[in-house]
Amino acid sequence: MKWKQQLFGMKAYQPGKPIDEVKKLFGLDEVFKLASNENPFGSSPKVQQFLQEQQTNHAIYPDGYAQSLRTSLANFYSVAENELILGNGSDDLIAIITRALLYPGVNTVMADLSFSQYWHNADIEGAEVRKVPLKEGVHDLDAMLAAIDEKTSVVWVCNPNNPTGTIVTDEDLSAFLAKVPEDVFVVLDEAYIEYVNDPSYKDTLHYFREYPNLILLRTFSKAYGLASFRVGYGIAQPEVIAKLDPVRAPFNNTVLSQQVAQIALQDQEFIESCRVANEIGKKQYVAFCERHGLNYFPSQTNFIMFEVKADSNVVFEEMMKRGFIIRSGAALGLEGYIRVTIGTEAQNAKFLQLLEDVLTEQGVFA
Ligand SMILES: Cc1ncc(COP(=O)(O)O)c(C=O)c1O
């Protein structure tokens, strides 16, 4: 068969092990997944209530234009409806952008330690991937600019960045956007924007009006706690949306997912409460790292990446045996570190107590 050459040797995305499998594997009654930056508080109680009462006819295709959710998003952000594109998660939008703009002969620029779907999709399309090393865990925007040439089609800025949780300041972002050539498409992936509290990160919405080569990506999977429903969205000028829309699958958001996202968007009180709880949780990890002299990246997200001074795969395995699924830094490109989703206060306390045991066992702590 005539497979794309680049598919040979490629592997599917490796998600963390599911909770039930870990329970069975290690004979555990309770397992916590702090691996994929989901919301430990679930989603708005209004979503839960809707789900109990809803009577959707599942025989009918969803609205392919997601009109009702689109109107809610447009009102929420004060943007036009034709300035929005909805995806089956922002993963879908990353794939759509890639399919629309990347092909053999062009290149794409991104940070070396960032969200793996950027390079995964680019590899499938046969585009050249240019990874630019982070500088102290932060996107090196000057080096990324230097990596852009006349063959560059897309540049990805993950802000805040997964897996380091760091941000580029508004000042740096603004200078960067002014210098990116007009024919290079900029993706500003803001999957964790709801968690940011650093004042140097300013509202980015106005940038899409200033730059016809920019898209903002956001999602209901993180702070909104709706990862299983798969709803992400992009905000860009109508001409960009019109180019991307034909690449989108016809019914890429289900009926239920459109409904719950719309309900969740209205409950900003829930988002605020999660933001507050996340800050408390983040402090637990920062205090642990500082007490033990472990390096950590300053996180503006609901996860934190920090040093364990031990083999990160071993720490990952040992924590899994004890009921916590996290991400090994080795799997993300930074050996000696782990990435942990900030859980509830009780989950964090338990996690850190067990991590202390593991790192003592590993000879890191006396
Ligand atoms: C930076 C970033 N972008 C996009 C995604 C994809 O999110 P979703 O497809 O659930 O919207 C993730 C998920 O982990 C992420 O971390």
Side-chain angles (χ1 to χ4, degrees), residues 21-37:
E21 195 182 324
V22 174
K23 275 188 185 168
K24 227 185 272 167
L25 201 61
F26 299 107
L28 297 165
D29 293 331
E30 199 173 40
V31 170
F32 300 103
K33 183 164 172 262
L34 300 181
S36 304
N37 313 329

Side-chain angles (χ1 to χ4, degrees), residues 102-276:
L102 296 182
Y103 42 88
V106 299
N107 69 65
T108 179
V109 173
M110 60 195 73
D112 65 340
L113 232 71
S114 198
F115 188 49
S116 61
Q117 288 303 294
Y118 309 150
W119 58 82
H120 183 82
N121 280 284
D123 285 344
I124 293 171
E125 299 303 334
E128 182 201 340
V129 172
R130 296 189 173 175
K131 290 187 183 176
V132 176
L134 295 178
K135 209 159 113 188
E136 289 169 26
V138 181
H139 277 62
D140 185 346
L141 295 179
D142 287 337
M144 288 175 79
L145 274 175
I148 293 173
D149 63 16
E150 70 284 357
K151 294 277 175 57
T152 304
S153 184
V154 183
V155 54
W156 307 82
V157 179
C158 188
N159 199 32
N161 186 40
N162 177 6
T164 52
T166 53
I167 52 162
V168 293
T169 64
D170 187 59
E171 201 184 335
D172 291 348
L173 182 66
S174 155
F176 171 79
L177 291 174
K179 288 184 209 148
V180 174
E182 279 170 18
D183 65 343
V184 173
F185 193 64
V186 181
V187 183
L188 194 56
D189 184 349
E190 301 183 305
Y192 301 94
I193 190 169
E194 291 84 5
Y195 289 109
V196 177
N197 68 0
D198 185 326
S200 70
Y201 191 108
K202 304 235 162 51
D203 183 26
T204 50
L205 202 59
H206 62 99
Y207 285 126
F208 94 88
R209 295 213 187 282
E210 290 161 43
Y211 295 101
N213 58 331
L214 175 74
I215 193 165
L216 307 173
L217 296 188
R218 298 183 183 180
T219 181
F220 283 94
S221 295
K222 307 300 175 181
Y224 286 93
L226 298 177
S228 78
F229 282 103
R230 316 302 302 125
V231 187
Y233 53 99
I235 309 175
Q237 293 192 8
E239 295 71 21
V240 169
I241 302 294
K243 282 280 185 311
L244 295 175
D245 239 353
V247 187
R248 185 176 62 81
F251 305 107
N252 61 336
N253 294 117
T254 64
V255 175
L256 264 185
S257 61
Q258 293 178 33
Q259 289 169 326
V260 295
Q262 199 179 348
I263 294 167
L265 185 66
Q266 308 311 327
D267 193 354
Q268 289 299 313
E269 237 173 79
F270 174 76
I271 299 297
E272 183 53 29
S273 71
C274 294
R275 224 188 328 256
V276 170

